[in-house]
Amino acid sequence: QVQLVESGGGLVQAGGSLRLSCAASGRTFSSYAMGWFRQAPGKEREFVARIRWRDGTTYYADFVKGRFTISRDYAKNTVYLQMNNLKPEDTSVYYCAAGPGGVTTGAYEYLYWGQGTQVTVSS
């Protein structure tokens, strides 16, 4: 049974930082890609960043480039999202997701999802 468990969310002031973690278990993810999405109240879920397990290649949404960094720890089966210079508009529930290695930015492409972790940025 595949499980993705996010942690690391919380309340932070604008300009601050948080690091989200996503611990993956239940299958071999070497051929997969891991993504981070977010969803604010009343809005659609939107793509944030993606990393491929096998070669570590990354892709980011334009609105987080230069502020967020996605990385993976192969030995720990864990993916991270380092978020710096946070803004109030980054306030959302952040979700970790896994899908076949060719996935890009569409939520529909991902097969497995975590339960989400709340990130709140105060102004």
Side-chain angles (χ1 to χ4, degrees), residues 11-104:
L11 173 63
V12 65
Q13 288 189 331
S17 298
L18 283 174
R19 188 177 81 156
L20 306 183
S21 300
C22 172
S25 62
R27 65 159 295 142
T28 301
F29 289 94
S30 58
S31 64
Y32 270 52
M34 304 294 291
W36 284 98
F37 288 77
R38 68 186 189 184
Q39 188 168 18
K43 295 188 176 181
E44 292 192 358
R45 192 167 296 190
E46 63 179 353
F47 171 80
V48 175
R50 183 220 69 208
I51 187 167
R52 292 197 174 107
W53 274 111
R54 189 180 301 278
D55 59 12
T57 56
T58 58
Y59 185 77
Y60 295 92
D62 286 343
F63 57 80
V64 301
K65 285 181 180 176
R67 299 190 299 127
F68 292 9
T69 303
I70 189 171
S71 62
R72 78 208 188 304
D73 185 323
Y74 217 100
K76 294 182 178 178
N77 246 22
T78 299
V79 174
Y80 303 98
L81 185 68
Q82 177 67 43
M83 306 186 294
N84 298 328
N85 191 22
L86 282 161
K87 304 175 181 180
E89 52 263 42
D90 293 318
T91 296
S92 283
V93 177
Y94 283 73
Y95 297 90
C96 174
V103 295
T104 54

